[in-house]
Amino acid sequence: MRYELPALPYSYEELEPVISAEIMRLHHDIHHAGYVKGANTALEKLEKARKGEMQINTREVLRDLSFNVNGHVLHSIFWPNMKSREENNKPGSNIGDAIDKNFGSFEAFKKEFSAAAKSVEGSGWATLSKDKDGNLFVLGIEKHNLMHIAGYEPILVLDVWEHAYYLQYKNKRADYVEQWWSIVNWEDVDRRY
Ligand code: MN
């Protein structure tokens, strides 16, 4: 197995009341595990095709690979990007300065990132990503892999697939996005930056 499901860095209850234990359980154990399985399956198919043991629809398998590997990678960043709830949760040190420099202020960044998260069409993600020179960008990603820019590395990601919030917030994605700011683990984002 090339890809493995990482353990959550905290208990299922850790992010309550912002994200319920029930959502965390399903999201990590079922959804993320599904992407890991899908990524390994796509690799196995390519391996078999190489050996002449299997005929594959290349376009389909490569699409599955892109979708599932990105799903796995994004969720693997998403879990440690969060921690227990904190009032007035804000970035400190390096990443705080970099956000000010790139976006003008933390409030301006928060507004841009939240707008990206709320406006993703269908299922997707908002990310704060850096290029090789350390410049920061907000990206909106559809599904796990569309509209992503090659070479931009996500350092803070927010899952806005319905499976991430629907059990608790129903159709109110905006409320989920607003609450989520209180559980961002800025120390983890700073490390990635
Ligand atoms: Mn998800």
Side-chain angles (χ1 to χ4, degrees):
M1 292 291 214
R2 171 83 166 272
Y3 296 104
E4 283 177 23
L5 181 67
L8 280 179
Y10 38 65
S11 71
Y12 294 111
E13 291 80 19
E14 186 76 11
L15 308 177
E16 288 189 337
V18 178
I19 301 176
S20 71
E22 187 186 16
I23 287 179
M24 290 303 288
R25 214 176 279 278
L26 292 167
H27 198 173
H28 175 268
D29 297 3
I30 307 290
H31 293 279
H32 187 171
Y35 302 129
V36 170
K37 188 164 184 280
N40 286 321
T41 300
L43 287 180
E44 280 164 28
K45 285 182 181 172
L46 289 168
E47 187 71 24
K48 283 184 181 167
R50 252 171 242 148
K51 292 179 187 158
E53 293 169 5
M54 188 182 190
Q55 290 242 330
I56 60 165
N57 178 329
T58 302
R59 185 175 64 179
E60 210 169 83
V61 174
L62 294 182
R63 187 190 58 203
D64 286 352
L65 186 67
S66 166
F67 177 82
N68 288 292
V69 172
N70 277 304
H72 167 54
V73 170
L74 287 167
H75 284 92
S76 299
I77 298 169
F78 185 48
W79 310 128
N81 266 175
M82 299 184 287
K83 62 169 176 76
S84 55
R85 190 173 185 279
E86 192 184 318
E87 292 285 344
N88 294 315
N89 186 29
K90 285 205 174 104
S93 57
N94 295 325
I95 187 62
D97 294 342
I99 284 173
D100 287 347
K101 188 171 153 260
N102 282 270
F103 297 94
S105 66
F106 177 62
E107 287 312 312
F109 156 70
K110 204 171 151 182
K111 200 173 154 197
E112 189 172 327
F113 188 101
S114 293
K118 291 170 193 171
S119 66
V120 169
E121 209 172 341
S123 300
W125 298 76
T127 80
L128 171 65
S129 297
K130 62 165 187 174
D131 69 10
K132 65 175 173 44
D133 300 317
N135 298 306
L136 297 174
F137 301 87
V138 166
L139 300 181
I141 295 177
E142 290 177 10
K143 298 189 179 176
H144 298 312
N145 49 341
L146 307 181
M147 286 168 57
H148 181 249
I149 301 174
Y152 283 27
E153 184 192 345
I155 60 172
L156 173 65
V157 301
L158 171 56
D159 190 337
V160 291
W161 280 59
E162 284 186 349
H163 68 221
Y165 63 89
Y166 210 86
L167 279 179
Q168 209 176 338
Y169 295 88
K170 305 292 185 291
N171 59 338
K172 297 192 172 65
R173 186 197 286 184
D175 289 354
Y176 161 65
V177 172
E178 285 311 312
Q179 292 296 318
W180 177 78
W181 289 105
S182 65
I183 56 169
V184 173
N185 183 349
W186 286 107
E187 282 181 19
D188 182 64
V189 183
D190 193 54
R191 264 195 303 278
R192 293 172 193 277
Y193 176 68

